[in-house]
Amino acid sequence: MVLPGTIWFLLFSYLPMFGTVIAFKDFRISRDGFFASVLNSEWVGFDNFKYLFSTDSAFVITRNTILYNLVFIILGLVLAVAVAIILNELANKKLAKIYQTGMLFPHFLSWVIVSYFVFTFLSADRGLLNNILDGFGIDAISWYNEPKYWPFIIIFMSMWKGIGYGSIVYLAAIVGIDRTYYEAAMIDGATKWQQIRHVTIPMITPLIVILTILNVGKIFNSDFGLFYQLPRDSGALYSVTNTIDTFVYRGLMSLGDIGMSTAAGLYQSFVGLVLVLLTNYIVSKIDEENALF
């Protein structure tokens, strides 16, 4: 049963690690194949990393990547736990399953498809929101040229698309809680809110801590589709939508610099590893039983 997962990790996680050497080379494709290209490319040390962080956009992409992910981690955690608790407390379980299915559906939609849905609302000419504003005598807004609105749009769409999937794990953990805890709480006269506060949340706290530690490790990564497809790669919005991933993609497409893109991926992975170890260390000092390792 473990073999398929092991093979998958070997092929797509561990084997590609040998390619990280490209981050330290001026990679040039040769006719002799990929491995010959890697071996024959000039060693340039940390020059690819210097290029990544010497641009004018270095501060902006780092700031956007970190701040958005902090909001996603905190807000996503709160909403996912809240939704899981609400679904668990619904008396009509058939209705709860319908709600859960409806909330899970957006997770399976591609950001390309979602971007067209959003465009039907935000289009400057025929967008639904501008038609509503026009009905109230308010001037239409050129949404794809106004950066100030997009942090809220991006956060809202990220929560809309991911909250249903994020709540599944917490709902499964809540369902697995021994019912005798709730029965004992009810005998003691605990209200529904007190049961949630003193039974449900403490019982799922270890899971919350573990998932938060893992999410902190991805704080330097961003959802490419969310930041590239949703704003339709509008140059006017780069100040609030440009992240490390989209910056590297644009650099790769315009310059063909594979070494720089590999350096960015290695940088993200290394920082993620450090953050996971640091967060886990802090958690272990506070409560060793809730630490990841």
Side-chain angles (χ1 to χ4, degrees):
M1 292 179 63
V2 177
L3 184 61
T6 303
I7 294 175
W8 188 92
F9 273 106
L10 288 174
L11 292 178
F12 297 103
S13 295
Y14 291 99
L15 189 61
M17 286 183 181
F18 294 103
T20 56
V21 69
I22 298 175
F24 305 95
K25 289 198 168 192
D26 182 16
F27 185 75
R28 292 290 183 268
I29 299 176
S30 68
R31 297 179 180 179
D32 299 326
F34 173 77
F35 293 102
S37 301
V38 174
L39 293 174
N40 297 329
S41 296
E42 180 186 357
W43 182 271
V44 294
F46 290 95
D47 286 355
N48 290 320
F49 295 90
K50 292 179 183 177
Y51 172 79
L52 177 63
F53 294 105
S54 63
T55 62
D56 296 334
S57 303
F59 172 74
V60 173
I61 62 176
T62 304
R63 178 201 64 190
N64 290 345
T65 304
I66 294 176
L67 292 183
Y68 275 121
N69 278 317
L70 283 175
V71 174
F72 293 160
I73 291 172
I74 297 172
L75 191 59
L77 170 63
V78 173
L79 292 179
V81 172
V83 168
I85 292 174
I86 292 171
L87 291 175
N88 182 66
E89 294 298 331
L90 288 176
N92 190 331
K93 297 305 178 183
K94 290 185 179 179
L95 193 60
K97 290 182 179 179
I98 294 175
Y99 289 150
Q100 185 179 356
T101 302
M103 296 181 67
L104 182 62
F105 178 72
H107 172 75
F108 298 100
L109 292 176
S110 165
W111 278 117
V112 177
I113 304 300
V114 173
S115 69
Y116 282 101
F117 289 155
V118 173
F119 184 71
T120 61
F121 282 87
L122 304 182
S123 173
D125 300 327
R126 295 180 295 275
L128 178 61
L129 287 182
N130 277 337
N131 287 335
I132 294 174
L133 293 176
D134 184 61
F136 285 98
I138 303 174
D139 293 336
I141 299 174
S142 182
W143 297 96
Y144 290 92
N145 291 309
E146 295 287 348
K148 61 182 179 181
Y149 300 109
W150 278 89
F152 304 101
I153 296 173
I154 287 174
I155 292 171
F156 174 80
M157 293 307 301
S158 177
M159 295 299 104
W160 171 81
K161 192 173 186 293
I163 205 66
Y165 184 82
S167 65
I168 289 178
V169 178
Y170 296 113
L171 181 59
I174 293 171
V175 171
I177 297 175
D178 191 340
R179 306 307 300 177
T180 56
Y181 291 109
Y182 294 102
E183 294 171 1
M186 286 186 287
I187 292 173
D188 290 338
T191 63
K192 184 62 68 175
W193 166 244
Q194 289 173 329
Q195 293 174 37
I196 293 172
R197 181 182 176 185
H198 297 290
V199 178
T200 304
I201 294 179
M203 292 298 290
I204 64 173
T205 296
L207 178 63
I208 292 174
V209 172
I210 290 174
L211 293 181
T212 301
I213 292 173
L214 295 177
N215 286 330
V216 167
K218 297 184 289 185
I219 202 169
F220 265 72
N221 296 75
S222 60
D223 190 333
F224 178 80
L226 173 62
F227 291 98
Y228 184 83
Q229 296 291 349
L230 193 68
R232 305 179 71 83
D233 195 26
S234 173
L237 305 178
Y238 282 176
S239 61
V240 294
T241 62
N242 204 9
T243 62
I244 295 176
D245 293 83
T246 57
F247 175 79
V248 169
Y249 174 78
R250 294 186 185 102
L252 183 62
M253 295 300 293
S254 59
L255 302 176
D257 194 340
I258 298 176
M260 187 270 289
S261 62
T262 307
L266 180 59
Y267 167 71
Q268 289 174 310
S269 299
F270 178 76
V271 173
L273 172 63
V274 172
L275 288 174
V276 166
L277 295 176
L278 179 61
T279 307
N280 185 77
Y281 175 77
I282 295 172
V283 171
S284 65
K285 290 299 181 182
I286 299 173
D287 187 354
E288 189 174 355
E289 292 184 359
N290 286 333
L292 187 60
F293 50 84

